[in-house]
């Protein structure tokens, strides 16, 4: 599925932040999804980690509850969209000023991305359905029916279900 730039990569950054366990994983998730952030101070990483804790409920909530949660994030991120043409790129939207710093940029980017996704495809994000797995994901599959964070988790559940059927048969 194709999302707009904020609904796609920004929502993927949000999922990666929710799943990150360290400052290096926070940064890796941002860079992997196209953010031009080269490094984080310990203080920035701590603030972004706290922000990630606020993103998690959006992934865990039912679709109907997501707009209210995202509106709170948007208000706290103080998003103010504007059009930019930096680095020879065609005009595109940014949700924070270039000089906002990594924390402000991450907050605005992820809040804006989740807002677009919640408006366009609210069922396309979630938490893995495998018991014991708390990994957040954005469903970019064609049919939009993803329930697991990875093929590995899906396989574990399906194998366990198959074995349970064999035992009861």
């Amino acid at each position: 599925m194709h999302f707009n730039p904020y609904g796609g990569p920004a929502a993927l950054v949000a999922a990666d932040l929710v799943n990150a366990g360290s400052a290096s994983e926070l940064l890796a998730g941002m860079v992997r999804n196209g953010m031009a952030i080269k490094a984080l101070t310990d203080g920035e990483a701590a603030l972004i980690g706290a922000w990630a804790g606020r993103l998690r409920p959006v992934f865990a909530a039912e679709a109907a509850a997501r707009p209210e949660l995202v509106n709170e994030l948007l208000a706290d991120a103080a998003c103010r969209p504007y059009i930019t043409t930096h680095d020879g790129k065609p005009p595109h939207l940014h949700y924070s000023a270039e000089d906002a710093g990594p924390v402000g940029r991450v907050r605005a980017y992820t809040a804006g991305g989740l807002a677009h996704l919640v408006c366009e495809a609210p069922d396309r994000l979630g938490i893995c359905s495998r018991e014991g797995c708390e990994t957040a994901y954005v469903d970019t599959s064609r049919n939009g029916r993803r329930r697991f964070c990875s093929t590995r988790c899906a396989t574990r559940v399906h194998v366990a279900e198959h074995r349970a059927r064999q035992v009861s048969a």
Side-chain angles (χ1 to χ4, degrees):
M1 175 166 193
H2 296 286
F3 298 114
N4 68 52
Y6 273 87
L12 292 170
V13 168
D16 279 349
L17 294 180
V18 168
N19 298 328
S22 67
S24 63
E25 289 177 359
L26 288 171
L27 185 59
M30 290 182 267
V31 171
R32 178 176 38 258
N33 292 293
M35 289 193 78
I37 295 177
K38 306 254 186 283
L40 296 172
T41 66
D42 290 342
E44 290 166 341
L47 289 170
I48 292 170
W51 180 255
R54 295 198 49 214
L55 297 172
R56 177 172 281 286
V58 176
F59 288 86
E62 297 294 325
R66 289 182 176 140
E68 183 177 336
L69 294 170
V70 173
N71 278 335
E72 291 173 11
L73 295 172
L74 288 167
D76 291 346
C79 297
R80 292 180 43 192
Y82 72 97
I83 299 171
T84 184
T85 58
H86 64 85
D87 299 328
K89 295 179 181 177
H92 61 281
L93 281 175
H94 274 210
Y95 278 58
S96 67
E98 298 276 334
D99 61 354
V103 175
R105 289 172 48 208
V106 166
R107 286 179 176 174
Y109 190 56
T110 55
L114 288 174
H116 279 281
L117 188 56
V118 164
C119 289
E120 295 171 8
D123 294 327
R124 293 245 178 194
L125 40 114
I127 301 290
C128 185
S129 293
R130 183 177 68 82
E131 189 175 322
C133 184
E134 293 294 320
T135 302
Y137 65 86
V138 175
D139 183 355
T140 57
S141 69
R142 185 173 293 207
N143 67 8
R145 301 184 71 201
R146 186 170 169 185
R147 296 185 311 127
F148 302 100
C149 66
S150 66
T151 303
R152 183 177 184 182
C153 276
T155 300
R156 284 183 176 179
V157 169
H158 297 312
V159 166
E161 289 171 350
H162 173 75
R163 287 181 179 158
R165 283 191 304 273
Q166 299 304 310
V167 170
S168 64

